[in-house]
Amino acid sequence: MIPSLGHGLAVLQLYFVAQFSLQRVFYILSVLIATYPLFKLHLNQLREPRQPRETAWLRSIHTMVYRAFGAENEHPDYPPEAESLGPDLARKFCRDLEQLYHLLGINNNSTQLFPEPHTILDPQTIDLLDENFRWTKAILFVAYCARCQAEYYPDRITYRPGSGATHSRLQRLECNAAFLRVSKHGIWMDRRIALAQENMVLHLHSGWSSFAEWLNATIGAEPHVTTRQSQRLYFEHFARRLLIAHGLEHTFTVAAHSDARTLAESVRNAIGRDGGIVAGSMDHGCIRCTHLKRYASDLIAEGIVLDANQAGVIDAPADPVQSENPPTIPSDMPSGLPSLPEQQVRQPGTARGYTRLATMDGKNIPHRKCAVSTCTGPLVNYKNGRFCKDHLGMHNICGIIPCGRPLHSDEAVTCALESHREWHQKYLNRFSRLSFPGVQRVIRRQTQQQDETGTSSGPTLQADLPALDGVAGKDVIHTFRAGSTYCLQTVQWSCGCPIGWGKCYRSESSPQVLGILNRIWENFPESRPSFLAYDDACNLLRHIVTQDPNSPWFNVTKLIVDAWHYIGHQASDILCRIWCNPAPANGSQPDLIIVQVDENGRTHKTRAFNTETAEQLNSWLTSYEAQLRQMSNVNYDFVVHVLMLLYKELVEKRMAKKNEALSDEFWQQVDSTD
């Protein structure tokens, strides 16, 4: 309902008397407007079980309304004839509060009748950074329930849990809170400040420190926003965004008044540790990643001449090795793998169906971990520590593995053996001299050596360290510095929409990659892609067939090498050429081929899907690499979850703008038996 002048006149006639001055009437109406945030908190509390009808929020509103009707708010020169009418009118006013808010349109966020209400938050004064980037003093109201001992803050509800709980008090987040606390010292910020931070993260790749500096430069007044407060704002805002996206806003709990790290760790544990899925990605579909199912008969009907060569690939230069020597199936092919991919034949009377392609790739964006190479534990101290909690005792023994002798002094990292001390010093000298000109010099030297020897493997930067106890310098195992994870593995649909991610700790090995895929689709077995493009798909396929020939990744999904990396794979690898071909020219995988007609009317075979979207996502993640490398494992996981959510929303906005959603006509064709 849009409020009109008639509604306002009705309120004046029903709840006011002619003896009131205009000043007194306007003051009462301003109090009504200003107390609406408290009324919303009252309604929120009523939605909880076993709550009194008259909450502390409502009692606070009644107190302020009674005071507003008091004679002390009358104009000093106005005759006090209506002094005794105030309490009765206030009682009637308080009885009909909800109807008054509705009648005047105060409960309608879209109305422009009233200005923004004055911020009212508790009985203690706080500093609030409002939506106009101005520091203001506000009053924070905290409601307390004497029966259940719950406390209602603008951004959270704390309560005493039942018996057996590990914490004396827990809290639930108000996920649609208008204000967020960023410091326990009474610093609050409007939620729209967090939205500004979100936009800077997405479009300017801003970190916590740079956003705090930008805020201080923009505001130009004290108190200055610290990096810690900027980080807390980030965690508070995106914790709510992630919980809503994953449908956990009503069940998630954390220790009451927890710090930023505890909040981030609890959210990370709830939605995925060391990886996870992107909320809503399994239901995604668009014309760039989801196509109608195709068969070889469809290609023939479109006038395509199929190549008899099993290893042929469209849109690729002719391979002289294949042309002169047609591939033969080797005898050492994995036993669980048929010799040739079977042609797809559509059964009469069956629905056509649809097909989807996902891509996967690894990106070298690591974070630090325990210095023990076989350990995946997080560091106890991310500032200058080297070990996790389980290996913290190794801090007191020699860093050369497997020496095991005690340190020769408190500040040392090696034992008293002269050879170990000298090797550590050379290690420090070698890496302390590492600079950009030095790297260029090493690359020039290696390039010159390769030109002389005729090799072309490309330059590599390796530590030139002396041998120790008969072990080559590069092979000496030590714990002089913290280790790091190997790579970040991302999976997305061929349109670019991210599906999930994981971390490889020691190498991008097939078992680790398969483990990431299994975790992503563990609860969504029916959403597995028809095709998965991966730069090392042939070795992943060998591993799957060898370990489990009945794996759904072999029986449901076809693994292919993406088009870019397929060019560099060996022509003699028959398994790769036949089973992992990204666009076989013989029509054995017609879903991967579409027919295009050029301006001259000639038909051409081309690839149906973009298999390089993983590379495009990884290129986008490069902008955040410097930040992620310095983070703890908790912050790293939380931020990657955030980035995947933001990138998904970015892709879907682009899809909506181009009208690339799947139409009703598409789904009718999917179900068609014609």
Side-chain angles (χ1 to χ4, degrees):
M1 180 189 69
I2 301 177
S4 65
L5 180 59
H7 297 117
L9 292 175
V11 170
L12 293 177
Q13 292 173 353
L14 291 173
Y15 297 96
F16 297 93
V17 293
Q19 293 89 336
F20 278 12
S21 69
L22 197 58
Q23 170 183 306
R24 192 173 184 181
V25 172
F26 282 159
Y27 180 74
I28 294 171
L29 290 176
S30 67
V31 170
L32 180 67
I33 297 170
T35 53
Y36 181 65
L38 296 182
F39 190 74
K40 287 201 298 184
L41 294 172
H42 159 72
L43 295 178
N44 288 342
Q45 184 173 345
L46 287 182
R47 284 192 282 269
E48 300 293 326
R50 300 185 299 278
Q51 297 297 327
R53 296 301 303 171
E54 186 175 322
T55 66
W57 301 112
L58 188 61
R59 290 196 297 271
S60 299
I61 297 174
H62 288 174
T63 300
M64 286 184 277
V65 169
Y66 272 91
R67 289 178 181 174
F69 272 92
E72 62 272 14
N73 295 309
E74 187 59 272
H75 193 279
D77 298 330
Y78 205 79
E81 287 97 352
E83 210 173 296
S84 60
L85 298 176
D88 292 336
L89 293 173
R91 190 177 302 107
K92 181 181 178 182
F93 203 81
C94 291
R95 183 191 63 200
D96 300 333
L97 271 179
E98 187 168 4
Q99 290 77 12
L100 282 168
Y101 285 127
H102 180 73
L103 191 62
L104 295 177
I106 299 174
N107 64 337
N108 184 0
N109 294 330
S110 64
T111 181
Q112 298 300 318
L113 178 63
F114 297 102
E116 284 285 326
H118 177 69
T119 302
I120 300 179
L121 292 171
D122 171 316
Q124 49 181 287
T125 302
I126 62 169
D127 291 310
L128 172 68
L129 185 61
D130 64 18
E131 73 277 11
N132 297 315
F133 294 88
R134 294 180 301 190
W135 285 111
T136 61
K137 293 293 183 180
I139 301 176
L140 177 67
F141 283 86
V142 180
Y144 175 76
C145 179
R147 180 181 302 174
C148 66
Q149 299 182 345
E151 295 177 347
Y152 293 82
Y153 293 83
D155 63 339
R156 63 194 182 280
I157 301 172
T158 67
Y159 61 95
R160 191 180 299 278
S163 59
T166 56
H167 300 282
S168 58
R169 291 187 72 82
L170 296 176
Q171 74 178 19
R172 286 172 51 188
L173 301 181
E174 288 283 0
C175 288
N176 295 314
F179 306 94
L180 298 174
R181 190 187 74 166
V182 298
S183 172
K184 62 181 180 181
H185 301 296
I187 305 293
W188 289 70
M189 291 187 185
D190 192 285
R191 187 70 177 270
R192 283 164 284 196
I193 304 299
L195 293 177
Q197 185 182 35
E198 176 178 325
N199 286 324
M200 292 191 68
V201 169
L202 177 61
H203 299 292
L204 302 179
H205 316 295
S206 171
W208 306 315
S209 178
S210 56
F211 181 72
E213 292 176 359
W214 177 82
L215 268 184
N216 293 327
T218 301
I219 299 169
E222 293 186 351
H224 292 308
V225 178
T226 65
T227 300
R228 188 180 295 273
Q229 291 167 358
S230 175
Q231 181 188 36
R232 181 60 183 254
L233 178 68
Y234 182 99
F235 285 148
E236 291 282 355
H237 171 66
F238 280 114
R240 289 162 171 80
R241 292 268 276 114
L242 290 169
L243 292 174
I244 291 175
H246 286 267
L248 300 174
E249 65 270 28
H250 300 302
T251 58
F252 174 80
T253 59
V254 66
H257 309 295
S258 55
D259 57 20
R261 187 189 185 283
T262 302
L263 174 62
E265 185 173 13
S266 299
V267 173
R268 186 275 305 260
N269 292 340
I271 64 178
R273 176 174 182 167
D274 285 347
I277 67 168
V278 181
S281 61
M282 295 299 175
D283 300 324
H284 172 83
C286 68
I287 61 175
R288 292 197 292 154
C289 67
T290 308
H291 296 172
L292 288 173
K293 182 70 177 174
R294 290 169 61 82
Y295 300 89
S297 57
D298 296 321
L299 296 179
I300 296 174
E302 293 170 355
I304 291 298
V305 178
L306 301 177
D307 189 348
N309 185 0
Q310 287 284 346
V313 58
I314 66 170
D315 293 346
D319 191 334
V321 176
Q322 294 181 25
S323 302
E324 299 174 5
N325 303 299
T328 58
I329 307 304
S331 58
D332 60 348
M333 188 75 74
S335 58
L337 191 68
S339 58
L340 293 175
E342 296 180 2
Q343 292 282 341
Q344 298 167 327
V345 179
R346 184 180 181 185
Q347 299 299 322
T350 59
R352 174 169 287 273
Y354 66 91
T355 184
R356 291 199 293 180
L357 184 141
T359 65
M360 177 174 61
D361 193 26
K363 175 67 176 176
N364 184 24
I365 305 182
H367 66 77
R368 286 171 291 170
K369 68 172 190 67
C370 180
V372 178
S373 59
T374 57
C375 179
T376 61
L379 298 178
V380 174
N381 174 14
Y382 274 90
K383 183 177 181 179
N384 52 18
R386 295 181 290 145
F387 299 104
C388 65
K389 180 176 63 176
D390 296 335
H391 295 105
L392 199 57
M394 296 182 66
H395 188 270
N396 298 318
I397 64 175
C398 180
I400 302 292
I401 304 296
C403 176
R405 296 182 180 87
L407 303 180
H408 67 85
S409 67
D410 292 339
E411 302 297 327
V413 294
T414 64
C415 61
L417 285 178
E418 192 63 28
S419 59
H420 289 188
R421 297 175 64 178
E422 289 181 358
W423 198 91
H424 174 248
Q425 187 58 48
K426 291 179 179 179
Y427 171 88
L428 293 178
N429 294 339
R430 175 65 184 86
F431 286 101
S432 63
R433 292 185 292 107
L434 193 62
S435 62
F436 183 67
V439 172
Q440 287 182 314
R441 187 165 53 252
V442 171
I443 291 176
R444 284 197 302 269
R445 186 185 308 126
Q446 292 184 358
T447 303
Q448 182 179 0
Q449 293 175 352
Q450 290 174 5
D451 291 341
E452 294 175 354
T453 58
T455 59
S456 59
S457 59
T460 58
L461 183 62
Q462 296 180 349
D464 187 14
L465 294 170
L468 177 65
D469 299 331
V471 179
K474 63 183 181 63
D475 296 328
V476 174
I477 301 176
H478 59 83
T479 59
F480 294 156
R481 62 178 178 183
S484 65
T485 58
Y486 185 78
C487 70
L488 170 67
Q489 201 78 12
T490 61
V491 186
Q492 48 277 311
W493 298 116
S494 59
C495 61
C497 178
I499 304 171
W501 63 279
K503 290 186 288 189
C504 294
Y505 271 88
R506 287 179 289 277
S507 65
E508 194 177 345
S509 61
S510 295
Q512 290 190 80
V513 171
L514 180 59
I516 292 172
L517 292 174
N518 288 335
R519 286 194 298 272
I520 291 176
W521 271 278
E522 180 180 8
N523 297 321
F524 304 92
E526 301 300 322
S527 298
R528 294 180 190 271
S530 308
F531 297 90
L532 177 64
Y534 174 47
D535 58 7
D536 197 26
C538 43
N539 286 324
L540 179 59
L541 178 60
R542 284 189 179 92
H543 173 75
I544 293 174
V545 174
T546 302
Q547 298 298 318
D548 182 12
N550 296 318
S551 170
W553 291 111
F554 174 65
N555 296 318
V556 177
T557 301
K558 180 174 175 57
L559 302 178
I560 62 174
V561 178
D562 65 277
W564 172 255
H565 290 93
Y566 185 77
I567 299 172
H569 281 227
Q570 294 181 0
S572 58
D573 189 344
I574 303 304
L575 182 144
C576 178
R577 290 284 169 171
I578 294 180
W579 278 92
C580 301
N581 191 327
N586 69 335
S588 61
Q589 297 299 331
D591 291 312
L592 299 176
I593 302 174
I594 58 174
V595 178
Q596 291 184 340
V597 181
D598 61 20
E599 56 185 10
N600 297 320
R602 292 177 298 184
T603 58
H604 299 274
K605 293 176 292 185
T606 187
R607 299 187 183 100
F609 295 96
N610 178 10
T611 60
E612 304 305 323
T613 53
E615 302 287 347
Q616 294 162 6
L617 172 58
N618 289 345
S619 177
W620 183 78
L621 289 172
T622 301
S623 303
Y624 303 94
E625 181 176 352
Q627 304 171 36
L628 291 167
R629 283 179 177 271
Q630 306 303 320
M631 292 183 182
S632 66
N633 67 320
V634 171
N635 291 356
Y636 183 97
D637 290 358
F638 187 94
V639 171
V640 173
H641 277 298
V642 168
L643 294 179
M644 292 296 171
L645 175 66
L646 293 178
Y647 193 79
K648 174 180 178 290
E649 294 174 346
L650 193 66
V651 171
E652 291 184 335
K653 286 179 181 178
R654 189 185 307 133
M655 180 190 73
K657 185 177 181 180
K658 296 182 179 180
N659 195 25
E660 294 178 339
L662 299 176
S663 63
D664 293 338
E665 181 183 358
F666 172 85
W667 293 112
Q668 291 173 1
Q669 291 177 310
V670 167
D671 297 330
S672 173
T673 58
D674 296 338

